[in-house]
Amino acid sequence: MAVPFNETAREYRDLQSELEAAVLGVLRGGHYVHGAEHAAFERELADFLGAGHVVGVGNGTDALEIGLRAVGTTAGREVVTAGNAGGYAAAAARAIGARVVVADVDPDSLLLDPHSAAAACTDRTAAVVVTHLYGRAADVAALRAALPPGTPVVEDCAQAIGAEVPEGRCGTLGDVGTFSFYPTKNLGALGDGGAVSCRSADVASAVRELRQYGWSERYVVGRPGGRNSRLDEVQAAALRVKLRRVAGWNARRREIGAAYAAAAEGTGLRLPAPAGGDVGHLAVGRHPRRDELARRLAELGVATAVHYPVADHRQPALDAAPGPTGAAEAERSCAEVISLPCFAYLTDAEVEQVCDAVRRSA
Ligand SMILES: *Cc1c(COP(=O)(O)O)cnc(C)c1O
């Protein structure tokens, strides 16, 4: 039996009649952008997160760019971000013309190290982006305490919808939270989608203007840096159906992550069990001979992936530079990380097959 890395069609088949009814309703209603579904989804996601404001946008990278602009990022300023988080925040910062300063990560959690981030801050710093990588909830309070007071914090929650710490859900802990609804995320659309959550009404209204040409009112461009980035009605309708399932899916992902962590014990694979507030977007371990392990797992029918193979400051065209502490741990992890199949619709037999393969190979 082959265990796929992900298979979004399983989710669709489970929700087929509900999803088809929701999409057909939009088609027949004739209102395709910024209609009732979109307004309802913004409200429902704000309730789910416990966020003051949620604004729909076109995708997770736009959410980062618009969120960064809304907290004051402009060309020539600096954005601090972890070096191992896929380069999304760096791409968004570069689109604004900001400089990217790469900070290091904690070797166990692989999340942004608050002290490395703080050391990278200067009077040119516009924002620090903390990614809740792999669905692991980062300690945003500790980060805020380490940063110079008043430094805007943007949480990249693309992999962490519903993740939480005692102070609240990810996306409500910093100034802005950004979400992606790419189809394989824990909450996935039928195409692209994204959202920005905001603590303050002023930042939320900036995001609303920036996502629609910078209009302060129809056809009046009152804010610089605007563009078109909208979440359409078909996606919003599908996302409303799936949002009702996401807490259950997150619990199943945590269960799968815990099973893999138990199987990895005593092997060469360092794979931490998800914490209670994590959402298990990816099951990622570190192994000193990662590529060899991937080959052996493939022979046993288990698909794997690497998130991510190249550190931001090693990307050929990203123009990102390490801050004063360097980013050695982030860089080292890129050669060691391996992701095991982890999605809510894996069967128990498939999870057991992965566990078995890990025990035999790692
Ligand atoms: C997927 C992802 C993004 C980008 O989202 P898109 O919707 O693909 O633009 C940003 N950050 C992280 C951490 C992601 O996993």
Side-chain angles (χ1 to χ4, degrees), residues 15-63:
L15 305 181
Q16 185 165 355
S17 55
E18 270 181 90
L19 283 173
E20 290 179 357
V23 169
L24 199 57
V26 173
L27 298 186
R28 290 180 174 165
H31 196 151
Y32 303 129
V33 161
H34 284 183
E37 294 290 337
H38 181 260
F41 176 66
E42 286 187 340
R43 267 195 317 274
E44 288 163 7
L45 182 55
D47 285 349
F48 175 80
L49 297 172
H53 312 268
V54 164
V55 184
V57 296
N59 59 65
T61 311
D62 284 0

Side-chain angles (χ1 to χ4, degrees), residues 292-315:
E292 209 178 300
L293 174 61
R295 264 194 308 279
R296 281 198 301 272
L297 291 172
E299 281 161 20
L300 297 169
V302 174
T304 61
V306 172
H307 299 92
Y308 293 91
V310 183
D312 285 13
H313 56 289
R314 298 294 181 193
Q315 291 288 2

Side-chain angles (χ1 to χ4, degrees), residues 186-284:
N186 291 33
L187 176 61
L190 308 173
D192 277 314
V196 181
S197 59
C198 313
R199 187 185 280 268
S200 100
D202 286 348
V203 173
S205 91
V207 170
R208 286 184 199 283
E209 293 175 7
L210 289 164
R211 74 168 169 189
Q212 193 149 247
Y213 322 116
W215 283 353
S216 47
E217 55 188 286
R218 201 171 182 83
Y219 305 132
V220 178
V221 179
R223 184 177 293 276
R227 38 153 337 156
N228 172 17
S229 182
R230 290 184 292 238
L231 179 66
D232 68 61
E233 284 293 279
V234 166
Q235 300 308 335
L239 287 166
R240 291 184 68 203
V241 170
K242 294 188 180 193
L243 182 59
R244 299 195 280 271
R245 307 304 214 293
V246 81
W249 289 338
N250 285 347
R252 171 66 175 156
R253 286 172 179 267
R254 273 194 298 275
E255 187 176 274
I256 294 167
Y260 293 166
E265 245 174 76
T267 73
L269 181 65
R270 273 163 67 197
L271 195 156
D278 295 352
V279 295
H281 174 63
L282 293 166
V284 177

Side-chain angles (χ1 to χ4, degrees), residues 159-185:
Q159 303 188 354
I161 192 158
E164 60 192 3
V165 292
E167 299 86 59
R169 286 208 154 147
C170 295
T172 69
L173 310 167
D175 297 272
V176 156
T178 66
F179 294 85
S180 164
F181 308 121
Y182 182 79
T184 59
K185 308 291 186 187

Side-chain angles (χ1 to χ4, degrees), residues 50 78 84 113-114 127 145 192 228 258 263 300-301 308 331 361:
E78 293 176 357
N84 65 332
D113 172 6
D192 277 314
N228 172 17
L300 297 169
Y308 293 91
E331 189 167 344
S361 310

